[in-house]
Amino acid sequence: MQTHVSTTPFGRRPMTLGQISSQMAAKAVKPDAVAHKWQVFQDIREARELLGATDRSLAILNALLTFHPETALTGDAELIVWPSNEQLAARANGMPATTLRRHIAVLVDCGLVIRRDSPNGKRFARKGRGGEIEQAYGFDLSPLVARAQEFRDLAEAVHAERRAFRVAKERLTLLRRDIVKLIDTGIEEGVPGNWGKVLLDYQAIIARLPRSAPRQLVEAISAELSALYEDIREALESFTKTQNPDGNESHSGRHIQNSNPELHTESEYRIREKSEAGGTAADTDNVRSLPKRELPLGIVLDACPGVLELAQGGEIRHWRDFLAAAELVRPMLGISPSAWREAREALGEQHAAITLAAIYQRADQIGSPGGYLRSLTERAKDGKFSTWPMIMALLRAKLDAQKTQAGADGAKAEEPRPSDGLRASEALLRSLNKPRPR
């Protein structure tokens, strides 16, 4: 007796054109087609995002494959399995019934299995007198044979995309490392050029890179960084050729040229070291009269408002924002990485950043920012320098300027107010208003 093969789902489950397409592909499979079920499952797992499958649905597919006794799936074999929900849930690591039904529907929608539902929706097989299966109702695995090559191609495409993404990220990492180190080299070796602008250009490109970026964006940013790298490399190579035409370092030695014509030597700078560093005895007494605590961020920003120009969005709310802005200040002042590293080791990262902001605030009065920082670093190593008198000197100068302006306008000068709403204490104001020794 001829049996009818069910093509529609039981109950209220709808029939879709996608399911008809899957049935057509399964019907067209060649009888001699052979697929290794676990290899096909591996390909499906690799390409699950392209197929729209989920990890739970793949757990169910894995369980369904265990109900088929043969490892090789052939086009002319009966590939219907009929486990009950209890058996299927047990092999799917105890998945709840509602979750089980939901993810079985995902497998059907993805075209990985076909429902062969019985008239009452039960799954079972009817056997003949000889024990052979005459009719089975359950899940048809024939799409795995019919689409085996498709799954393999999708898996290879996923592998190729992963390799391309890995190569793109490696290129981006190498470019970032090379650019940062070449900028430091240009500053430390005194190569002429606006290295502060180059660093800002680099920061602007990197700022467009989110935490999780697609390969296309990584490649686009890498292309921009590559162009910037070529410009930096060309500038360094051109300068190297002009300084050492024969290319032999052993003949001429290391050449360091400072691109700032107004920079002074260390010995020239030490003559006025005390006056600029704020290291007089009177200033030391003022510092000792201040509270023994860290400088508040608001007071530092009130004394050094210039650093706000370099902060992202023109706003600094936390110390980490302040430290990030200080990293931009260093190359703009032409301070070498080695001098900055020594300052952080001697002063600590936070106080080194405060010192740098103070130097930036008085950049028009300091001929050699790098030499100034090195001098302050040496004084700090000897315990003769603190950021308190430097910030107090800037606040005193600001207060004097306000008083002068107020006198000219015939109005009372306002007290200095930190940018984040903090008010200076009475002791601090008394210290600032102390007459400085002549």
Side-chain angles (χ1 to χ4, degrees):
M1 182 177 62
Q2 186 176 4
T3 59
H4 176 71
V5 178
S6 173
T7 59
T8 58
F10 171 77
R12 296 182 179 181
R13 301 188 189 101
M15 186 68 183
T16 64
L17 292 178
Q19 294 177 22
I20 294 177
S21 176
S22 299
Q23 293 172 5
M24 291 172 58
K27 189 175 181 180
V29 64
K30 296 180 180 180
D32 58 347
V34 180
H36 191 292
K37 65 179 183 181
W38 298 121
Q39 181 60 53
V40 174
F41 178 76
Q42 177 66 24
D43 294 338
I44 293 173
R45 185 169 60 181
E46 293 292 336
R48 65 183 180 276
E49 293 183 0
L50 299 179
L51 294 170
T54 62
D55 54 348
R56 292 291 186 90
S57 63
L58 292 186
I60 296 173
L61 179 60
N62 180 78
L64 287 174
L65 291 175
T66 63
F67 286 101
H68 192 277
E70 302 295 333
T71 300
L73 306 179
T74 59
D76 59 350
E78 186 68 34
L79 300 179
I80 298 178
V81 293
W82 54 92
S84 65
N85 282 350
E86 291 76 9
Q87 292 173 325
L88 193 54
R91 296 199 186 184
N93 304 318
M95 188 178 296
T98 54
T99 305
L100 186 70
R101 288 192 293 268
R102 185 169 66 252
H103 289 286
I104 287 176
V106 172
L107 290 178
V108 174
D109 293 339
C110 293
L112 300 178
V113 298
I114 298 174
R115 285 185 182 273
R116 302 295 186 189
D117 287 348
S118 66
N120 62 359
K122 300 296 183 178
R123 302 181 200 124
F124 63 91
R126 183 183 298 112
K127 298 183 180 180
R129 292 183 178 180
E132 70 279 1
I133 297 176
E134 291 182 349
Q135 182 68 35
Y137 297 101
F139 299 106
D140 190 350
L141 303 177
S142 56
L144 302 183
V145 182
R147 302 177 61 187
Q149 184 61 45
E150 176 191 348
F151 298 146
R152 186 178 300 111
D153 293 341
L154 289 176
E156 290 178 356
V158 170
H159 290 159
E161 174 65 21
R162 287 177 181 171
R163 286 194 297 270
F165 196 17
R166 184 170 60 251
V167 170
K169 289 195 295 185
E170 288 176 357
R171 183 190 181 204
L172 177 65
T173 301
L174 292 175
L175 283 170
R176 293 181 66 173
R177 184 185 70 189
D178 289 349
I179 289 175
V180 170
K181 290 196 173 184
L182 289 180
I183 290 175
D184 287 344
T185 300
I187 295 173
E188 193 165 3
E189 298 288 346
V191 179
N194 191 347
W195 295 108
K197 182 180 181 302
V198 174
L199 184 60
L200 289 177
D201 292 342
Y202 167 75
Q203 294 286 353
I205 296 174
I206 294 300
R208 299 189 356 248
L209 186 67
R211 183 177 297 274
S212 297
R215 176 180 58 83
Q216 292 77 6
L217 180 59
V218 172
E219 290 180 345
I221 291 179
S222 295
E224 295 185 38
L225 291 179
S226 180
L228 181 63
Y229 166 80
E230 293 297 335
D231 293 341
I232 297 173
R233 186 78 184 183
E234 182 179 356
L236 295 178
E237 290 179 353
S238 299
F239 182 76
T240 303
K241 290 179 181 178
T242 59
Q243 300 300 314
N244 191 11
D246 60 357
N248 189 348
E249 279 192 10
S250 61
H251 290 175
S252 58
R254 183 184 179 198
H255 179 83
I256 301 178
Q257 175 178 325
N258 209 320
S259 58
N260 190 340
E262 297 182 359
L263 297 182
H264 301 281
T265 62
E266 293 277 346
S267 58
E268 293 174 334
Y269 183 77
R270 290 184 184 275
I271 296 176
R272 60 179 198 271
E273 178 182 281
K274 290 186 178 181
S275 60
E276 290 193 353
T280 62
D283 288 337
T284 302
D285 292 339
N286 285 344
V287 172
R288 289 173 180 172
S289 66
L290 294 174
K292 299 300 181 181
R293 58 184 176 86
E294 293 291 334
L295 277 165
L297 178 60
I299 290 180
V300 174
L301 294 177
D302 197 46
C304 310
V307 75
L308 291 169
E309 302 171 358
L310 304 178
Q312 187 174 5
E315 188 176 14
I316 295 178
R317 295 184 178 181
H318 309 284
W319 279 111
R320 61 175 177 271
D321 300 333
F322 186 79
L323 297 177
E327 291 293 339
L328 297 178
V329 169
R330 178 190 64 79
M332 297 185 70
L333 292 175
I335 295 175
S336 66
S338 60
W340 177 232
R341 182 173 58 253
E342 292 174 5
R344 285 185 298 178
E345 292 175 355
L347 295 166
E349 191 171 15
Q350 182 172 310
H351 285 283
I354 295 173
T355 304
L356 206 61
I359 294 175
Y360 183 71
Q361 189 66 30
R362 300 177 54 195
D364 57 338
Q365 305 173 24
I366 299 175
S368 173
Y372 191 11
L373 182 62
R374 288 188 184 274
S375 177
L376 297 181
T377 301
E378 293 299 322
R379 290 173 59 83
K381 291 178 180 178
D382 297 335
K384 299 179 181 179
F385 171 72
S386 169
T387 53
W388 269 100
M390 180 176 261
I391 296 300
M392 294 305 103
L394 289 173
L395 288 175
R396 185 184 294 111
K398 185 176 181 179
L399 182 62
D400 292 343
Q402 289 177 347
K403 287 182 178 180
T404 302
Q405 183 66 31
D409 296 340
K412 185 179 180 180
E414 295 181 357
E415 297 176 355
R417 191 180 304 275
S419 58
D420 64 351
L422 296 175
R423 291 185 58 87
S425 65
E426 295 298 328
L428 177 60
L429 292 175
R430 287 196 302 270
S431 176
L432 291 175
N433 288 319
K434 279 185 180 181
R436 303 186 68 180
R438 301 294 182 182

